[in-house]
C-alpha cells in the first residue's frame, strides 16, 4: 500500500496532457509548448494511437517527446494506461513506455505536504479500476496526512455528453471514496472542459491533446453537470475542428495555479486551487 509513491517538490511544475500520442504536427506543437513551460514533471493521461503497439509507442510517443519535449534530465515523465493502449494487449505501454520512463507500475502517487497527484489505471479494465488498485487508492486517500488529493486518470468519472458513465466499474469503486477527493483531471473525451463543483469534486476534462474534435460541441446531453468553461474555439490549422492543448499546474506550497494552454501558447483559462 506504500508502493509507487514519489516525492513531489513543494514548488513543482506539472504538465498534464491526454489523448496525445498521434505523432501528428498538432501533437508536436503541444509538446513544444510543454517544453516552453519548463515542467519538473509531465504526466500523459493515456492513449497512443491507434492501438498502442510497441512501434506506435516509440514512433508516435517516445520519439516525439525526445525530439520536442523537455529533456529527461530536467523533467520526470509518467504515463497512464488507457483504452487505445490496451487495443493491442498493452505491450507498447507496459513493455515500451513504462521501462523508458523508469515507471514501476501503471498507477502512482506524487505527493508532498500539501498535495498528492494520484494517477490510476482505468484502461487495463476499461473504464474500471482493476484490483488491487481500489485498496491501494483507498490507502493513498486516507494516508495523505492532510494533503489535498487530486486524482488523474484517462477515463472520466462523469460527462456532459457521454452516456453510461455512472454505470461503469470506475464509478462504482471510486464512489465510496469520492468524499476524500478534492479534484479530478481526466481525458478520453477529446474536449477541454472546466466543470463546476459536482458530486463534491472539482473535475476537469483535458482530452484535447491531439485528436480532432468538431466544434462547437453542441447541446449537452446532461445539463445537470455544471460547466464553467468549454474551449470550443476553431483551430486556424484545421477548420471546423477544435484547438489542442494541455494543463499546467504550478505548485507553490499550499497554492496551485492551473493554466490551460493551447498548442499556440495561448492560455484559454486560468484558476487557482488552494490546499
Amino acid at each position: 500500500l506504500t508502493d509507487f509513491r514519489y516525492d513531489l517538490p513543494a514548488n513543482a511544475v506539472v504538465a498534464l496532457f491526454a489523448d496525445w500520442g498521434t505523432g501528428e504536427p498538432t501533437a508536436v506543437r503541444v509538446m513544444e509548448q510543454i517544453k516552453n513551460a519548463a515542467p519538473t514533471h509531465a504526466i500523459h493521461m493515456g492513449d497512443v494511437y491507434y492501438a498502442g503497439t510497441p512501434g506506435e509507442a516509440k514512433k508516435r510517443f517516445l520519439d516525439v517527446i525526445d525530439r520536442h519535449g523537455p529533456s529527461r534530465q530536467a523533467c520526470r515523465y509518467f504515463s497512464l494506461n488507457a483504452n487505445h493502449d490496451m487495443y493491442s494487449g498493452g505491450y507498447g505501454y507496459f513493455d515500451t513506455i513504462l521501462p523508458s520512463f523508469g515507471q514501476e507500475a501503471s498507477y502512482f502517487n506524487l505527493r508532498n505536504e500539501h498535495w498528492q497527484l494520484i494517477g490510476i489505471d482505468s484502461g487495463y479494465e476499461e473504464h474500471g479500476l482493476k484490483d488491487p488498485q481500489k485498496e491501494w487508492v483507498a490507502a493513498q486517500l486516507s494516508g495523505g496526512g492532510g494533503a489535498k488529493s487530486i486524482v488523474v486518470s484517462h477515463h472520466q468519472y462523469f460527462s456532459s455528453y457521454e452516456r453510461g458513465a455512472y454505470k461503469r466499474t470506475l464509478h462504482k469503486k471510486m464512489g465510496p471514496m469520492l468524499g476524500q477527493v478534492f479534484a479530478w483531471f481526466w481525458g478520453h473525451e477529446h474536449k477541454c472542459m472546466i466543470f463546476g463543483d459536482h458530486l463534491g469534486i472539482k473535475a476537469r476534462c483535458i482530452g484535447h491533446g491531439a485528436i480532432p474534435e468538431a466544434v462547437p460541441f453542441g447541446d449537452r446531453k446532461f445539463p445537470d453537470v455544471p460547466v464553467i468553461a468549454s474551449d470550443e474555439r476553431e483551430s486556424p490549422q484545421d477548420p471546423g475542428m477544435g484547438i489542442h492543448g494541455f494543463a499546467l499546474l504550478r505548485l507553490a506550497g499550499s497554492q496551485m495555479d492551473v493554466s490551460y494552454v493551447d498548442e499556440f501558447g495561448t492560455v484559454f483559462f486560468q484558476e487557482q486551487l488552494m490546499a
Side-chain angles (χ1 to χ4, degrees), residues 2-165:
T2 59
D3 284 345
F4 320 133
R5 290 178 176 174
Y6 306 90
D7 291 335
L8 185 66
N11 295 314
V13 179
V14 183
L16 300 179
F17 58 115
D19 303 76
W20 173 83
T22 67
E24 295 292 318
T26 186
V28 170
R29 288 194 293 271
V30 169
M31 185 50 58
E32 289 174 341
Q33 293 300 332
I34 291 176
K35 182 178 181 178
N36 290 341
T40 58
H41 299 72
I43 302 173
H44 182 239
M45 295 153 60
D47 271 359
V48 174
Y49 297 93
Y50 178 74
T53 65
E56 291 170 338
K58 184 179 185 304
K59 182 179 180 180
R60 300 180 181 177
F61 186 79
L62 294 174
D63 286 355
V64 180
I65 286 175
D66 287 339
R67 291 188 189 122
H68 303 280
S71 72
R72 305 280 190 99
Q73 291 73 37
C75 178
R76 176 73 189 269
Y77 287 89
F78 290 86
S79 182
L80 294 175
N81 195 13
N83 51 302
H84 279 268
D85 301 286
M86 291 301 299
Y87 285 170
S88 58
Y91 293 102
Y93 176 74
F94 285 101
D95 293 351
T96 303
I97 293 175
L98 294 194
S100 178
F101 286 172
Q103 184 177 329
E104 299 173 287
S106 57
Y107 50 99
F108 54 84
N109 183 357
L110 299 176
R111 56 192 296 185
N112 62 29
E113 178 185 358
H114 299 286
W115 303 96
Q116 53 179 2
L117 304 178
I118 303 172
I120 62 175
D121 180 342
S122 63
Y124 197 94
E125 177 185 289
E126 186 172 358
H127 220 128
L129 196 67
K130 179 70 174 177
D131 289 333
Q133 274 193 99
K134 181 181 177 181
E135 184 182 8
W136 180 88
V137 171
Q140 310 316 302
L141 292 172
S142 62
K148 290 290 188 182
S149 298
I150 297 178
V151 175
V152 183
S153 68
H154 177 73
H155 291 91
Q156 72 274 37
Y157 192 76
F158 54 74
S159 171
S160 292
Y161 292 95
E162 184 173 326
R163 298 185 182 280

Side-chain angles (χ1 to χ4, degrees), residues 35 42 86 91 140 165 185 199 222 224 246:
K35 182 178 181 178
M86 291 301 299
Y91 293 102
Q140 310 316 302
F185 287 82
L199 302 182
F222 301 97
D224 59 312
F246 66 101

